[in-house]
Amino acid sequence: MERQRAPTGTVVAVRGGVVDVVFEAALPPLHHLLLAGADPTVRLEVMTHLDLHTVRCVAATPVQGLARGVRVRDTGALQQVPVGTEVLGRVFNVFGETIDEGGALGATRMRSVLQAPPPLDAQSVTTDVLETGIKAIDLLAPLERGGKAGLFGGAGVGKTVLITELIHHMASRHRGVSLFCGIGERSREAEELIRDVRDAGVAEHTVLVFGQMNEPPGARFRVGHTALTMAEYFRDDARRDVLLLIDNVFRFVQAGAEVSGLMGRLSSRMGYQPTMATELAELQERITSTAAAAITAVQAVYVPADDFTDPAVVHAFAHLSASVVLSRDRAAQGLYPAIDPLRSNSAMLTPVAVGERHDRIARAVRQTLAVYDDLKDIIAMLGLEELSEEDQRTVGRARRLERYLTQPFYTTEAFTGQAGRAVGLGDTLADCERILADDLGDVPEARLYMIGALTEAGL
């Protein structure tokens, strides 16, 4: 029996990253991968059917040299990437091709990048806290195993540093798989992250996937799906917990807006694509727990001009179980990690999920810091001496808590000269109880700055 030939078509228009292809026979289905040219270097994804013979595609590779009349071949499948334990310790692009110096992968299984989320009856409904070793997160915005946490902040407040520190903590504490997905990463950031992961000795438990800033929007739009496909293998087949770190979800939305504009769709609010909510949900709903294991996601979300009402930020909030907000004011004061304790929150911070003691201490810490925040204007105008004795004691507790919640990171040792620290949740709770009880009222605030647990600092 003669083997059926793959459908072929012809390029009839090239406009930026959009390519129109005419097929004489049946049209390839949506999202199929097409290869253009005799030596196919241009990869196209079918985005829409214009008529009975024409498809409109978005290029995932540069289209230089592509012209009208070039032959296009349908691969007969969606884009596929390798999955398996062989991907550990390697660096990939959006197509699942290795971009490090480790040579080609061995024999691996291939899986489509577009997968449906697990059905509801297969998802786990238990709620467990995932301890990170970072005091401010574990105390005020505990992460949910199998949940989604967002790191919100403008440019330069420490999102990427916090993500690299989480990779270090997770690999060393939980021995799970860490999978980093860089969407629109600068090449400098990618190179530094690869070195950090190798220097920290956690590369054998880590997979890195990059869709860099100079790549076409079609590639940046799909790199998150590539990373999720690899993560789903470890969850469903290898039955290992996965920490998925995405930097940056806003650039995923940006890439979607570029693709939408290239396709000629009218924009929605503030220039975003009309399909933003659907596209974000298709990515986010695949991040979940099953009976076998869990994918826990920590996602950096750039906040344009520090405007938390931006539609991209609002839509991202809707999918999260924890929100870690990074504050430019705290970064300016040198309080790192610059986590805003009053705006960061978690659905896990309830007595049922974390226990009565943790819930009580976290609320007391937040209340103390809120009172101090209200008093800052009075202190600036009249001075600390004009406050009542009770308010002065509250301010003292709040300032000590602020400094205690700073922490030296392993990934910044080379810059700060301070050894990194990981603090267990039990130590964090006990230390905050001591500060709230004024046990350290005669200890200078500076002694609580950039330390781990109080016992390590001799307090």
Side-chain angles (χ1 to χ4, degrees), residues 30-206:
L30 292 179
H31 305 302
H32 265 215
L33 179 66
L34 310 183
L35 302 177
D39 180 18
T41 56
V42 179
R43 307 188 193 197
L44 310 172
E45 180 182 345
V46 178
M47 298 301 286
T48 187
H49 293 166
L50 295 181
D51 54 42
L52 294 176
H53 297 286
T54 311
V55 296
R56 178 160 290 170
C57 310
V58 168
T61 53
V63 294
Q64 283 87 348
L66 190 66
R68 294 175 64 184
V70 170
R71 301 298 290 175
V72 176
R73 177 172 61 85
D74 177 19
T75 62
L78 279 66
Q79 179 186 313
Q80 297 188 324
V81 295
V83 297
T85 54
E86 296 84 359
V87 304
L88 289 171
R90 303 302 301 271
V91 186
F92 297 91
N93 64 11
V94 64
F95 305 111
E97 300 167 341
T98 55
I99 54 174
D100 53 15
E101 298 175 349
L105 283 177
T108 58
R109 280 173 280 182
M110 303 296 286
R111 185 174 291 181
S112 169
V113 298
L114 295 180
Q115 300 282 344
L120 285 176
D121 59 358
Q123 296 184 22
S124 173
V125 294
T126 59
T127 53
D128 299 315
V129 173
L130 187 70
E131 197 172 319
T132 66
I134 299 174
K135 294 182 285 189
I137 292 178
D138 289 342
L139 175 68
L140 299 171
L143 305 188
E144 178 186 3
R145 178 179 173 272
K148 297 177 274 287
L151 291 179
F152 291 87
V157 294
K159 297 186 298 298
T160 303
V161 171
L162 197 52
I163 278 183
T164 55
E165 186 71 5
L166 283 168
I167 290 178
H168 184 281
H169 283 307
M170 289 302 168
S172 59
R173 294 167 69 90
H174 295 279
R175 297 298 173 189
V177 175
S178 295
L179 203 152
F180 179 88
C181 174
I183 304 177
E185 283 282 285
R186 301 172 184 89
S187 58
R188 169 187 60 78
E189 293 175 334
E191 190 271 337
E192 287 175 356
L193 182 69
I194 293 168
R195 272 194 291 114
D196 288 344
V197 168
R198 289 174 178 168
D199 292 346
V202 297
E204 66 272 15
H205 302 290
T206 307

Side-chain angles (χ1 to χ4, degrees), residues 355-367:
E356 293 280 355
R357 179 173 176 244
H358 184 167
D359 180 66
R360 172 174 48 80
I361 294 171
R363 290 182 186 280
V365 167
R366 192 167 279 155
Q367 182 180 6

